Amino acid sequence: PNGIDISQSPIPSFPREWHNPPIIGTMSRLVEEKALDVLLDALAIIDKRGIQFEVRIAGDGNKRKELEEQINRLGLNNKVNMLGWVKDTDKFYNDIDIFCFPSRHEEFGLVLLEAYKNGLPAVVTNSDGPSDIVRDKINGLIVPKDNAEALAEALESLLLDKKKADVLAKGGYNTLINEYSIPVFGKNLSEALHLVIEAYKGKKTS
């Protein structure tokens, strides 16, 4: 696994104050495997239930026009803001309340660790990378890929239960500190390299 440097980052406050209405955010390339179309379908389900929220999507890609058309078709124009690429990522995370990662295919995903660093609860799919990091109901929520209804249920559960969201956010931050901060990453890398070197020495002497 990878790691991120949090040595210069302020410790987020828990519980974190939310916007009114709460803001769901995601950051990714606007491409097929990121499944933002599924996120939009999930948001439409939540919207029909009368739950208040806003959405910010950071990123760009070849699916942008299709996604904008989908937003219009679903009547989410007053809910979803397409930001394009953002330069100040910490500001982006500070300006949202829930992080969503709806990918169909994903590797490790540093953006999830960035969300943890900024004290955000996360909803992810069971794609390889995120499901390796997230432990369901402990440091985030995991839903099946390509399942808008399940994604809507997970997001709704956080929108309607901030205490639950706060617990997951704290769990995510603790996971970052204990498993993916640079000191931990460096220690793990050193140990792995030591094992490789010892194995290589063993082969040479055998």
Side-chain angles (χ1 to χ4, degrees):
N2 213 326
I4 61 172
D5 183 12
I6 59 172
S7 61
Q8 303 301 315
S9 301
I11 299 173
S13 59
F14 298 102
R16 172 174 164 157
E17 186 175 350
W18 277 12
H19 298 84
N20 185 22
I23 300 174
I24 300 166
T26 190
M27 180 182 293
S28 74
R29 292 176 294 119
L30 308 186
V31 294
E32 181 70 21
E33 61 263 31
K34 299 301 183 179
L36 295 174
D37 56 314
V38 179
L39 173 59
L40 293 178
D41 285 339
L43 296 173
I45 293 170
I46 300 171
D47 187 43
K48 287 179 181 177
R49 294 172 180 168
I51 298 168
Q52 296 301 306
F53 63 90
E54 293 180 7
V55 181
R56 296 180 184 177
I57 298 175
D60 211 341
N62 59 21
K63 290 290 181 180
R64 177 165 188 143
K65 184 176 180 182
E66 290 180 32
L67 293 170
E68 289 173 339
E69 291 172 350
Q70 185 180 2
I71 289 168
N72 290 331
R73 186 169 66 253
L74 295 172
L76 295 172
N77 306 70
N78 62 337
K79 298 281 189 182
V80 180
N81 187 0
M82 304 279 283
L83 303 177
W85 290 117
V86 297
K87 293 183 179 179
D88 189 342
T89 56
D90 281 336
K91 183 179 186 307
F92 169 79
Y93 289 113
N94 284 325
D95 287 346
I96 66 175
D97 304 303
I98 298 170
F99 183 75
C100 184
F101 209 28
S103 299
R104 294 183 173 95
H105 306 287
E106 193 64 56
E107 299 303 327
F108 187 80
L110 285 177
V111 292
L112 178 55
L113 297 187
E114 292 286 347
Y116 280 170
K117 183 185 80 170
N118 286 277
L120 296 172
V123 178
V124 307
T125 61
N126 57 354
S127 53
D128 290 342
S131 61
D132 284 341
I133 301 170
V134 176
R135 291 183 284 279
D136 192 36
K137 300 181 179 65
I138 296 174
N139 59 0
L141 298 178
I142 302 176
V143 301
K145 293 180 283 187
D146 273 314
N147 190 325
E149 184 66 41
L151 184 58
E153 291 292 337
L155 290 170
E156 180 180 338
S157 74
L158 299 188
L159 290 168
L160 297 181
D161 188 347
K162 187 175 182 297
K163 288 184 178 179
K164 176 181 178 179
D166 291 337
V167 169
L168 297 179
K170 186 66 180 293
Y173 186 74
N174 288 338
T175 296
L176 172 63
I177 296 296
N178 296 326
E179 300 179 33
Y180 300 107
S181 60
I182 288 298
V184 174
F185 173 69
K187 178 176 178 291
N188 291 341
L189 180 59
S190 177
E191 290 174 353
L193 289 172
H194 178 75
L195 290 173
V196 171
I197 292 168
E198 290 302 310
Y200 177 73
K201 286 179 179 178
K203 282 186 71 174
K204 287 192 71 175
T205 57
S206 63

